[in-house]
Amino acid sequence: MNAEVSHRAGDGPTPAHPLERRARVHAALGDPARLAMVDLLHLGDAAPGELGRRLGLPSNLVAHHVKVLQEAGLLRRVRSEGDRRRSYLQLVPDVLAGLAPPPLADVERVVFVCTHNSARSQLAAALWQRTGPTPAASAGTRPATRVHPRAVALARRLDLDLDPARTAHVSAVVGDGDLVVAVCDNAHEELTGAGAPDLHWSVPDPVRVDTDAAFEAAYAELAGRVHRLAPVITSRATAPTSPGADHV
């Protein structure tokens, strides 16, 4: 399977400890009053006293919450240009943006895998080809001879590019640089050791029910997960490089 380990889901924190920084921010937001303050400051700046009046909090409690939020890097103070004795609190939006999962780097292609490569993996790959930042492919651990007719019909309704006669085994598809996503429990549990998938999506098998509604529900689940994964994928072709960096 994939010899690269830089984008493995189980990698630990980097030496810069980004997980610790994110944990501090999450902890700071774990109080209803502080979360309410961040909500207000998301829309506009405010003096500490104004926050206290808006939220019905005494000044000593406001000071405590502001200190916690500042220590987490969420707030900064700016001096009023009118009355220099006053200061206003501003939200640091980049810190909130940093709560998103870290990027998965150096992904050349995303390969979606299920058991028969006849429904879920095909639909996920077709959607990724249309919306994702990298190429996509699909495969199965025990591929069927064709794509399920309901999956083909659904893809046509959604204007997705799906070949009804193209199925493949994982051994013929997956290579180095691929991010492998198991979209069914059987594939996830069958592929172990060095060939284990990078990610697992436990999407119910629509073929078991064999109704249009079941296929539509599976597609909706896949679409939601695709849209969550796509923003954190950084391909080798698009990854930013610093001046003088080695290219491999």
Side-chain angles (χ1 to χ4, degrees):
M1 281 262 179
N2 189 351
E4 297 283 337
V5 296
S6 62
H7 60 255
R8 283 284 179 183
D11 283 354
T14 66
H17 301 298
L19 288 179
E20 292 182 5
R21 291 196 297 270
R22 289 171 60 208
R24 285 199 298 270
V25 175
H26 278 289
L29 295 173
D31 180 276
R34 291 196 287 272
L35 188 57
M37 288 181 172
V38 169
D39 286 344
L40 290 173
L41 294 171
H42 187 78
L43 302 176
D45 305 339
E50 293 171 335
L51 285 178
R53 288 191 292 274
R54 292 283 298 274
L55 299 174
L57 297 174
S59 59
N60 63 327
L61 198 52
V62 170
H64 166 71
H65 289 317
V66 167
K67 180 182 178 182
V68 172
L69 293 170
Q70 282 184 301
E71 289 176 346
L74 281 159
L75 302 185
R76 59 177 169 238
R77 287 179 181 265
V78 295
R79 187 68 62 182
S80 168
E81 291 185 348
D83 184 344
R84 300 295 292 175
R85 295 169 298 177
R86 291 172 62 90
S87 64
Y88 294 102
L89 298 169
Q90 292 181 336
L91 186 67
V92 182
D94 290 347
V95 177
L96 285 179
L99 293 180
L104 301 177
D106 294 341
V107 176
E108 294 184 359
R109 186 177 62 164
V110 178
V111 179
F112 297 95
V113 177
C114 65
T115 306
H116 300 301
N117 191 211
S118 65
R120 289 163 289 181
S121 57
Q122 293 278 357
L123 291 168
L127 176 60
W128 188 275
Q129 288 280 30
R130 190 169 71 181
T131 63
T134 67
S138 69
T141 56
R142 286 171 280 156
T145 57
R146 62 170 185 165
V147 182
H148 195 283
R150 291 190 191 275
V152 175
L154 178 59
R156 286 174 178 164
R157 292 198 298 273
L158 298 170
D159 195 26
L160 297 176
D161 183 12
L162 192 155
D163 184 347
R166 189 188 334 172
T167 62
H169 192 272
V170 289
S171 62
V173 175
V174 175
D176 292 345
D178 288 339
L179 181 79
V180 181
V181 183
V183 294
C184 82
D185 298 337
N186 287 332
H188 174 64
E189 293 159 12
E190 289 177 22
L191 299 172
T192 59
D198 297 287
L199 298 174
H200 173 218
W201 297 349
S202 184
V203 181
D205 185 2
V207 177
R208 292 178 182 270
V209 182
D210 200 16
T211 64
D212 287 345
F215 276 78
E216 290 166 0
Y219 174 80
E221 175 73 14
L222 291 167
R225 290 175 180 266
V226 162
H227 291 312
R228 291 200 299 273
L229 177 62
V232 303
I233 293 293
T234 302
S235 70
R236 289 180 178 174
T238 60
T241 57
S242 57
D246 292 332
H247 295 275
V248 295

